[in-house]
Amino acid sequence: MSEQDRVIVIGSGLGGLAAAIRLRARGHEVLVLEAMDQPGGRAAVFEQDGFSFDAGPTVVTASHLFDELFALVGRERRDYVQFVPVDPFYRVLFPDGSRFDYVGDEPRILAQIEQFSPRDVDGYRRLAAQARQIFDIGYTELVDRPFDRFTDMLKIVPDLARLGCWRSMYEWVSASIEDERLRQVFTFQPLLIGGNPFRAPAIYALIHWLERKWGVEFAVGGTTAIVKAMVRLLGELGVEVRVSTPVAEIEVEGGRATAVRTAAGERLACAAVVSNADPATVYTKLVARRHRRWNSDFLIRRKKLSMGLFVGYFGADRTWPELAHHTIILGPRYRELLEDIFERKVLADDFSLYLHAPTRTDPNLAPPGCEAFYVLSPVPNTQAEGLDWDRLGEAYFAKIVDFLGEQHVPGLREHIVTRKHVTPRYFETELRSYGGAAFGPEPRLTQSAYFRYHNASEDVRGLYFVGAGTHPGAGMPGVLCSAKVLERVMPGPGRKGHVLRDMRGAAR
């Protein structure tokens, strides 16, 4: 591989793998370096006692973005990984025993709203119409556009202000919906990308229309099947994905990234570096201070981080067919719990949970007659003081299991046959996420678009970013679109641009 043409991708999360595919499709020579012992990053897999647990993201939306990646090199995504629809998208459960099935079909949504609060039916119609307008601007026009200049931001301010996007998600929804339970149903979405609905701007209402437009799907075999499909494709294109190879330094000469040095001491020269790793960690750990004026340690410390996550994985020797694939279990406090997590940074006695039961859709993820689960609880990140997760983790998991068994999954504790858990410390150490934040910077108004880490580094030429920490943000559509932004900010390889065009012709 020519060092003059090689692009090194740090990290093999979905954003890094998508970037590697797009780079190769443009004719770049590419090498992917992954610190962990398997590809996937947050989308890794834990296999234990015959059960398969996706470690991280499981909700597939805008699956056409995967189709695009494979089509770039003349392949059909369906030949590599299959997606199946999930219905309901989410089942939302409330402390009073009521439930709301969050779906894409408007008549079904309106029928449920009618049961909850008839006066909110027309309010939802207004909300959905506005969400569609926000989607048309915030997603269709802007999601793959770089925001490296403040003037890029100024151009969109009038349209977003007209739609009220400067308000918080909760405030925006509350202007149309009166029932408190319904307000929670239509504002929890920012939590799926690390945002507090009382701080995240209403531009994230586009998530609602995105799900309405394209639905929610699940990958047969779990999210790890997507990772394996992308790695297989890269192998066919001549791209190596090298695992157990953490990067210790990005070398900079004359203001340009010229090489990476691995933790084992190997120096790998390159023409450019694309980082799928957390930008805050990359800047503070891999790029020397003398090369950083815009992204100093001081300015990085001032950024507000997303919450941390406690995730428990467990397998049971029976099934619960009445469960939905995705269940959101809301606790007795909404605003107050989120204040505890994001602002006060204390571990509350109560919790809200996301319960993932993938064997409702794909029974092969567990042994016959068994059920695989993970349960996710938003918690403070590792910037919280006095939270010793080595001491707290097992007891917190037991508390959640007891709650689930008493309220939602009868007899759960007696039927668990395997279990493990991860805490914010896992995100900080294994995933190298600054401050143990599960989603990078918190998606506030002042940390979105231009105010998020830029896709092209202001400090180091030839250093680029994809993934949750940069624009457009977290979530599968966000990280996949960050790789599309890369094509707009990174020059092509020049003389070798014909290589993949030939591949596409041969594949056809």
Side-chain angles (χ1 to χ4, degrees):
M1 183 182 293
S2 168
E3 295 178 356
Q4 292 181 338
D5 298 312
R6 177 167 59 186
V7 177
I8 292 180
V9 177
I10 301 175
S12 65
L14 295 178
L17 295 175
I21 293 169
R22 288 185 176 276
L23 288 166
R24 190 70 184 109
R26 297 177 75 190
H28 290 280
E29 301 290 343
V30 183
L31 172 64
V32 181
L33 304 179
E34 169 58 50
M36 299 174 71
D37 62 0
Q38 60 171 303
R42 285 170 172 77
V45 62
F46 300 135
E47 294 180 343
Q48 185 169 296
D49 299 325
F51 294 82
S52 180
F53 304 106
D54 280 319
T58 60
V59 178
V60 179
T61 51
S63 62
H64 66 276
L65 294 171
F66 289 107
D67 298 342
E68 283 182 9
L69 284 173
F70 286 81
L72 282 173
V73 288
R75 308 301 206 275
E76 286 283 342
R77 184 269 304 164
R78 292 171 182 80
D79 295 334
Y80 292 75
V81 60
Q82 300 296 313
F83 296 138
V84 293
V86 175
D87 188 348
F89 299 165
Y90 313 96
R91 176 163 292 158
V92 185
L93 305 180
F94 298 94
D96 65 2
S98 58
R99 85 180 196 190
F100 190 98
D101 279 357
Y102 188 97
V103 295
D105 182 53
E106 185 167 285
R108 288 171 63 191
I109 295 176
L110 293 176
Q112 292 181 87
I113 293 174
E114 176 77 31
Q115 293 179 343
F116 271 68
S117 174
R119 65 184 181 273
D120 284 328
V121 170
D122 287 340
Y124 173 77
R125 288 193 176 100
R126 292 193 302 272
L127 179 149
Q130 292 173 351
R132 183 173 187 170
Q133 293 179 65
I134 292 172
F135 172 87
D136 288 341
I137 297 173
Y139 185 89
T140 305
E141 295 185 17
L142 303 178
V143 74
D144 59 357
R145 181 190 300 180
F147 280 84
D148 292 342
R149 297 173 299 180
F150 188 64
T151 52
D152 297 329
M153 188 82 171
L154 292 177
K155 292 175 184 177
I156 67 169
V157 167
D159 285 336
L160 296 181
R162 174 176 55 83
L163 295 169
C165 292
W166 51 270
R167 291 181 290 178
S168 75
M169 185 75 176
Y170 186 86
E171 185 181 3
W172 181 83
V173 168
S174 297
S176 299
I177 301 293
E178 295 183 22
D179 187 273
E180 177 57 29
R181 294 168 301 172
L182 293 176
R183 287 177 175 179
Q184 295 177 29
V185 165
F186 296 113
T187 60
F188 76 78
Q189 293 78 15
L191 286 164
L192 302 178
I193 57 170
N196 180 347
F198 295 91
R199 300 284 190 276
I203 192 171
Y204 293 105
L206 65 83
I207 297 173
H208 177 67
W209 195 261
L210 183 147
E211 292 175 335
R212 281 276 307 269
K213 182 178 179 68
W214 289 311
V216 170
E217 297 174 287
F218 182 70
V220 176
T223 306
T224 186
I226 302 175
V227 173
K228 292 174 181 176
M230 297 172 80
V231 171
R232 173 187 159 194
L233 176 62
L234 286 169
E236 293 173 1
L237 301 178
V239 175
E240 179 186 2
V241 179
R242 191 181 300 179
V243 299
S244 301
T245 311
V247 172
E249 180 187 2
I250 297 173
E251 291 189 7
V252 180
E253 296 181 12
R256 172 174 290 278
T258 56
V260 303
R261 193 173 297 277
T262 70
E266 183 181 10
R267 184 182 185 275
L268 298 167
C270 59
V273 174
V274 174
S275 175
N276 184 209
D278 179 20
T281 297
V282 170
Y283 281 126
T284 58
K285 301 294 185 183
L286 305 187
V287 179
R289 289 185 182 181
R290 65 182 180 276
H291 301 304
R292 293 185 281 118
R293 182 168 65 91
W294 288 90
N295 294 282
S296 66
D297 290 1
F298 172 77
L299 291 177
I300 288 171
R301 285 194 299 269
R302 289 177 60 85
K303 291 185 181 294
K304 291 283 188 178
L305 299 179
S306 63
M307 77 283 201
L309 294 177
F310 177 94
V311 192
Y313 308 87
F314 52 99
D317 61 6
R318 57 155 289 192
T319 65
W320 287 264
E322 68 276 12
L323 293 175
H325 186 120
H326 303 292
T327 302
I328 306 292
I329 304 171
L330 294 170
R333 302 183 306 146
Y334 191 54
R335 183 193 297 264
E336 296 82 0
L337 177 61
L338 293 171
E339 286 291 312
D340 284 346
I341 294 168
F342 283 88
E343 305 302 324
R344 289 190 284 270
K345 289 185 168 47
V346 297
L347 186 63
D349 292 329
D350 59 324
F351 36 63
S352 289
L353 304 172
Y354 161 55
L355 181 66
H356 182 231
T359 32
R360 297 292 86 238
T361 301
D362 185 358
N364 293 321
L365 297 174
C370 296
E371 195 95 82
F373 295 95
Y374 84 49
V375 61
L376 180 155
S377 175
V379 295
N381 56 45
T382 58
Q383 291 181 332
E385 297 181 1
L387 292 183
D388 181 356
W389 282 109
D390 291 337
R391 178 178 60 85
L392 295 170
E394 191 56 45
Y396 193 72
F397 195 6
K399 182 179 178 179
I400 290 174
V401 168
D402 287 343
F403 169 79
L404 290 174
E406 292 168 3
Q407 301 290 331
H408 303 288
V409 192
L412 175 61
R413 175 176 286 280
E414 292 75 19
H415 289 278
I416 291 179
V417 294
T418 190
R419 61 192 289 172
K420 70 170 292 174
H421 68 268
V422 300
T423 74
R425 287 284 299 152
Y426 164 80
F427 289 86
E428 183 176 53
T429 57
E430 298 298 316
L431 297 179
R432 293 162 175 78
S433 183
Y434 189 84
F439 302 91
E442 182 187 340
R444 296 183 171 208
L445 183 63
T446 54
Q447 295 188 160
S448 299
Y450 170 79
F451 300 111
R452 207 161 179 84
Y453 286 107
H454 291 174
N455 303 90
S457 173
E458 312 95 311
D459 292 311
V460 179
R461 297 191 306 280
L463 173 60
Y464 305 91
F465 290 94
V466 295
T470 189
H471 172 70
M476 283 197 200
V479 301
L480 293 176
C481 285
S482 71
K484 296 180 74 172
V485 176
L486 184 67
E487 294 184 338
R488 295 178 180 257
V489 299
M490 184 175 177
R495 61 186 179 86
K496 292 203 173 184
H498 66 282
V499 174
L500 267 292
R501 286 196 293 273
D502 293 345
M503 283 189 178
R504 288 197 291 272
R508 293 191 185 96

